[in-house]
Amino acid sequence: MLLVSLLFSVVACSDDGEGPKKEGESDPVTLTLSDPNATEETKALYSNLWAIQSKGFMFGHHDDLMYGRTWYGTAGGSDTKAVCGDYPAVYSFDLAEHIDDRYAADPDAQALRLRCCKEAYDRGMVLTSCIHIDNPLTGGDSWDNSSNRVVAEILTEGSVTNKMFKEWLDRLADLALNLRGSDGKLIPVIFRPFHEHTQTWSWWGASCTTTEEFVNLWKFTVKYLRDTKGVHNFIYAISPQMDSAKTVDDFYFRWPGDEWVDFVGMDCYQGINNAVFVTNLKAISKVSLAKRKPCGVTETGVEGFSAADYWTTNIHAPLTGRRVSMVVTWRNKYDPMESGTHYFSVFPGHPSERDFVKMYNQENSFFCGDLPDMYSPAENVTVL
């Protein structure tokens, strides 16, 4: 009997989260957020991000409610809903233009984005935001990696760049503290501030910063928002870019520390390559279990894809059996003439429509209408 019990215990806590029993599915578990003063709704969302991993994955789409291939700003609009009849479970968006020096450039677009955020929350969706913020030292965009002094200047108290970056964070904090749903409560956001830091394209990336600088920038940002500005509705997500096959160790590249990270994401533009996707899904699942932090694919997709079986073959099949809370495809650019190929998800008329509906109908794919109340605590999951 002892041998049988030991064997069962090993299987139940399998490293990749697969087996007859998955940790967190029925056994009580305690998770810790980087913000001990997080709002009750934020804690509840966090508990559900963990709990849902044992049941399936949430489908998400960047800017899905704001525009689609042939429409912009239409109330209730969604390329996802136009195909399957339901909204995505996760709404992804970018807040950079609300906080850097573009903050007053397009007030109509700003208002629309915030309207969509509130509508998403009111529908019970999960919200996640990245920030492609401009370079505060050079005045260039996020992709301006011409100087390796940016983060050093941000971290130099009293410098021009330090003051500017704090002003940007002030705007972000003001937005977060005024982002409320129809219930009057602050809307929780999975916030991934310096995404794809493993790459060299950005001013916060691998070619412009040292490990120490990146870690200190991460901590500075969290502390300023949480402790100085009193933002308590953020779940802090790190999201390295993992386009080729990676190991568990790759996810710890410039890891800020367990107490500074809440959610483990990955931006995985692996193309039509299930071997790479499955390898990375196994790795991120292991990190999630080891750190007791929910995980998800925070960006993915194939630009201009045409495969009719893309969703069941390249998204659903690799994700089935994995402990991953979400998969979020990048945007469908507004293109009324449909002359370009900058789209990463389904829309009416795309060859994969039927296949997308087939994925939608699977028990382990969660869309908006499938979600439990993500803002009430999940059973057996305590969040500190």
Side-chain angles (χ1 to χ4, degrees):
M1 280 297 293
L2 177 60
L3 178 60
V4 172
S5 297
L6 288 172
L7 286 173
F8 181 78
S9 176
V10 170
V11 173
C13 296
S14 159
D15 302 332
D16 56 8
E18 298 174 74
K21 183 180 180 183
K22 299 174 183 176
E23 184 181 356
E25 187 169 1
S26 57
D27 294 338
V29 62
T30 298
L31 309 178
T32 304
L33 273 170
S34 60
D35 184 356
N37 296 313
T39 67
E40 292 304 312
E41 290 72 30
T42 303
K43 289 180 178 179
L45 173 59
Y46 197 59
S47 71
N48 280 289
L49 292 173
W50 179 266
I52 207 165
Q53 293 185 164
S54 65
K55 303 176 179 67
F57 62 91
M58 297 181 290
F59 175 79
H61 185 207
H62 188 79
D63 279 350
D64 186 87
L65 308 182
M66 188 170 175
Y67 54 79
R69 287 293 286 168
T70 60
W71 60 276
Y72 184 93
T74 304
S78 163
D79 278 355
T80 302
K81 186 174 186 292
V83 171
C84 71
D86 195 3
Y87 292 102
V90 180
Y91 179 54
S92 169
F93 53 98
D94 192 322
L95 286 175
E97 293 181 15
H98 290 254
I99 64 177
D100 63 23
D101 286 347
R102 296 169 287 176
Y103 75 99
D106 192 345
D108 290 339
Q110 314 292 48
L112 173 60
R113 186 175 290 108
L114 295 181
R115 188 198 82 191
C116 291
C117 290
K118 293 173 183 178
E119 288 176 356
Y121 172 78
D122 286 346
R123 292 189 183 107
M125 297 165 67
V126 174
L127 283 73
T128 180
S129 173
C130 61
I131 46 170
H132 285 91
I133 46 175
D134 287 345
N135 187 317
L137 176 66
T138 68
D141 59 20
S142 292
W143 292 264
D144 181 1
N145 58 5
S146 60
S147 173
N148 63 1
R149 289 291 305 166
V150 190
V151 174
E153 290 298 321
I154 289 174
L155 296 174
T156 301
E157 185 65 32
S159 72
V160 172
T161 307
N162 171 265
K163 290 177 180 177
M164 179 181 292
F165 194 71
K166 284 181 178 177
E167 186 177 333
W168 293 2
L169 293 182
D170 288 344
R171 293 189 190 122
L172 177 59
D174 183 66
L175 186 153
L177 294 172
N178 287 282
L179 191 62
R180 296 180 182 272
S182 296
D183 58 6
K185 296 177 180 178
L186 289 172
I187 299 175
V189 177
I190 302 169
F191 179 55
R192 47 194 192 100
F194 305 111
H195 71 300
E196 300 177 7
H197 64 287
T198 47
Q199 303 300 97
T200 61
W201 61 266
S202 65
W203 59 257
W204 60 81
S207 69
C208 292
T209 63
T210 65
T211 297
E212 184 180 15
E213 285 173 339
F214 179 82
V215 168
N216 287 338
L217 174 66
W218 184 280
K219 292 179 179 179
F220 171 86
T221 302
V222 174
K223 282 195 290 187
Y224 190 82
L225 291 171
R226 180 191 66 192
D227 303 337
T228 302
K229 304 303 295 186
V231 174
H232 299 304
N233 50 325
F234 276 1
I235 292 169
Y236 293 93
I238 196 165
S239 52
Q241 187 163 349
M242 302 297 192
D243 295 347
S244 56
K246 301 295 181 181
T247 67
V248 166
D249 287 344
D250 291 317
F251 281 88
Y252 297 131
F253 178 79
R254 299 185 172 179
W255 183 259
D258 294 1
E259 69 273 29
W260 297 96
V261 175
D262 300 318
F263 185 94
V264 184
M266 69 171 176
D267 293 6
C268 194
Y269 290 98
Q270 76 285 350
I272 306 292
N273 191 328
N274 281 13
V276 167
F277 199 29
V278 168
T279 295
N280 293 347
L281 288 169
K282 286 183 176 181
I284 198 173
S285 296
K286 290 178 181 179
V287 174
S288 174
L289 282 173
K291 297 296 185 182
R292 289 200 177 236
K293 300 179 187 295
C295 69
V297 184
T298 41
E299 289 184 31
T300 194
V302 176
E303 185 176 18
F305 73 103
S306 59
D309 64 346
Y310 174 75
W311 301 105
T312 56
T313 301
N314 301 112
I315 298 295
H316 182 262
L319 280 162
T320 296
R322 313 295 170 201
R323 287 186 52 88
V324 176
S325 71
M326 68 178 68
V327 59
V328 181
T329 55
W330 196 240
R331 69 175 186 161
N332 288 352
K333 182 180 180 182
Y334 172 56
D335 185 7
M337 301 303 293
E338 295 189 24
S339 55
T341 57
H342 190 72
Y343 59 84
F344 293 79
S345 191
V346 73
F347 53 87
H350 190 272
S352 70
E353 274 189 282
R354 290 185 179 180
D355 196 58
F356 187 82
V357 173
K358 187 175 180 181
M359 182 184 74
Y360 165 76
N361 285 324
Q362 300 302 310
E363 289 186 1
N364 65 335
S365 66
F366 290 85
F367 286 69
C368 181
D370 303 316
L371 292 176
D373 183 351
M374 299 296 284
Y375 303 101
S376 291
E379 290 185 8
N380 297 317
V381 183
T382 301
V383 177
L384 302 178

